[in-house]
Amino acid sequence: MPYTPIVATLGYVLSTDRRRVLMIHRNARQDDQHLGKYNGLGGKMEPGEDIAACMRREILEEAGIECLSMHLRGTLNWPGFGKQGEDWLGFIFVIDAFRGEPLQENAEGTLEWVELDRLAELPMWEGDRHFLPLVFDADPRPFHGVMPYRDGRMQSWSYSRL
């Protein structure tokens, strides 16, 4: 059977001093699979979009800001991650320049600037703790990881860098 994941973006918007990151606290919908967790911004790619256009659109929709500069930091394959066990393939970006003032909240929850050195203290998906250091480290090479999930739990984690 062919592998047909849901293709999505996940973006981390840096403050101008590069010490904080804009995160969403998913606290708005009781039926949200991510309820209570902090996450980057992003979502599913739409037909006719390239992955960069998807990231720009998602940041505009979720934070109300326009991406001026962004960098692909890696890709992540999440087999079994979806609510019904769907597979996801994510393209992970850092947005280091933007225009506008970020929204304070959206339909998913509250947007918060979080100090980079405090990220590990936040409630988040277990797997995020493994790949987030790669998003923000000084190594310029993108990472490419696989993180299988089963029943909402990470099973393993591996990655390579090119």
Side-chain angles (χ1 to χ4, degrees), residues 1 7 13 33 42 46 51 55 65 67 77-80 89-90 94 113 115 120 128 141 146:
M1 181 143 172
V7 178
V13 179
Q33 175 187 12
E46 294 181 354
I51 203 69
M55 185 78 272
I65 56 178
C67 297
N77 179 10
W78 283 287
L89 177 61
V94 166
W113 287 107
E115 298 288 331
D128 290 14
R141 299 173 301 159
V146 61

Side-chain angles (χ1 to χ4, degrees), residues 118-134 147 149 154 157:
R118 282 197 48 242
L119 277 179
E121 300 169 16
L122 300 176
M124 63 178 65
W125 286 100
E126 176 187 356
D128 290 14
R129 298 183 193 289
H130 293 277
F131 76 82
L132 277 175
L134 304 175
M147 187 178 289
Y149 271 74
M154 183 186 82
W157 160 241

Side-chain angles (χ1 to χ4, degrees), residues 61-83:
E61 288 176 3
E62 294 188 7
I65 56 178
E66 178 186 353
C67 297
L68 300 177
S69 174
M70 62 184 189
H71 306 280
L72 180 66
R73 290 300 291 147
T75 60
L76 259 171
N77 179 10
W78 283 287
F81 181 72
K83 200 181 287 188

Side-chain angles (χ1 to χ4, degrees), residues 19-137:
R19 294 197 313 232
R20 296 175 299 145
V21 61
L22 189 62
M23 301 289 284
I24 184 162
H25 185 197
R26 301 286 292 256
N27 56 10
R29 294 185 301 113
Q30 291 302 308
D31 65 338
D32 187 355
Q33 175 187 12
H34 308 276
L35 185 64
K37 293 179 171 59
Y38 281 78
N39 210 337
L41 304 171
K44 298 174 188 172
M45 189 164 73
E46 294 181 354
E49 281 184 322
D50 64 51
I51 203 69
C54 176
M55 185 78 272
R56 286 186 195 99
R57 177 184 53 76
E58 288 287 349
I59 294 295
L60 184 60
E61 288 176 3
E62 294 188 7
I65 56 178
E66 178 186 353
C67 297
L68 300 177
S69 174
M70 62 184 189
H71 306 280
L72 180 66
R73 290 300 291 147
T75 60
L76 259 171
N77 179 10
W78 283 287
F81 181 72
K83 200 181 287 188
Q84 306 300 322
E86 303 89 349
D87 301 323
W88 284 71
L89 177 61
F91 290 76
I92 316 301
F93 289 89
V94 166
I95 295 88
D96 57 4
F98 60 90
R99 180 180 2 253
E101 187 65 33
L103 300 172
Q104 292 185 9
E105 61 184 88
N106 64 32
E108 305 298 331
T110 308
L111 294 169
E112 298 178 26
W113 287 107
V114 177
E115 298 288 331
L116 283 172
D117 59 6
R118 282 197 48 242
L119 277 179
E121 300 169 16
L122 300 176
M124 63 178 65
W125 286 100
E126 176 187 356
D128 290 14
R129 298 183 193 289
H130 293 277
F131 76 82
L132 277 175
L134 304 175
V135 173
F136 298 110
D137 71 12

